[in-house]
Amino acid sequence: MNNLQMDKPQLIELPKIHDLRGNLTFIQYPNHIPFQIKRVFWIYDVSGGETRGGHDYKKQHELIISLSGSFDVVITYPDGTLERFTLNRSYFALYIPPLHWRHMENFSTNSVSLHLCSDGFDEGDYMRELDSYLIQK
C-alpha cells in the first residue's frame, strides 16, 4: 500500500496465496487499504444493460472488488473526462477516495461486486446529481 495515492482512484493488487486446493486473497488494514472497514455490501443479479452507482461520496472511501464475473467502474472527473476500470479478478481492488463520481456498468452474468467502505451508510454523504458534482468543482 506504500504506493497508494489517496487523492485518485487506482487499482490495488491484493495478496494472492496459491494453493492446489484453491487460491486465497485477503485484505488487511493498514497493510492493503488506507481505512478501517465500517460497512460492507455487495451487488449481484444485475440485469443486462443496467447501471449501478451514479454518485460520489463527500467523505467516504471505498474499495470495490469483483468476487465473480466482471463489470466496469467508470469514474467521471470534475472536468468531465472519464476513466474506466474493468474489474474481473478477485485479487484486484479499485480504491476510490471521496469526491469522485462513479457508476458501474457492463455487468457479466452472475457477477458479484463487493464494496468495503470507510463509514456506515449516511444519505447526507451522497451527491447524486452529476451536474451539481461537476459545478461544485
Side-chain angles (χ1 to χ4, degrees), residues 4 8-14 27 32-35 61-66 71-75 77 83-97 100-104 114-116:
L4 185 65
K8 68 177 207 165
Q10 59 203 284
L11 287 175
I12 298 172
E13 187 168 2
L14 300 170
I27 298 169
H32 309 116
I33 59 175
F35 59 86
H61 298 253
E62 182 177 32
L63 199 71
I64 304 175
I65 303 166
S66 173
F71 51 87
D72 295 334
V73 180
V74 180
I75 304 296
Y77 289 97
E83 185 173 14
R84 178 178 303 271
F85 295 89
T86 299
L87 296 178
N88 58 10
R89 298 283 185 256
S90 58
Y91 51 88
F92 280 105
L94 178 61
Y95 168 70
I96 306 176
H100 285 83
W101 188 273
R102 85 292 308 277
H103 77 271
M104 300 166 58
L114 178 68
H115 301 251
L116 309 175

Side-chain angles (χ1 to χ4, degrees), residues 74-83 134:
V74 180
I75 304 296
T76 302
Y77 289 97
D79 64 1
T81 60
L82 304 177
E83 185 173 14
L134 295 172

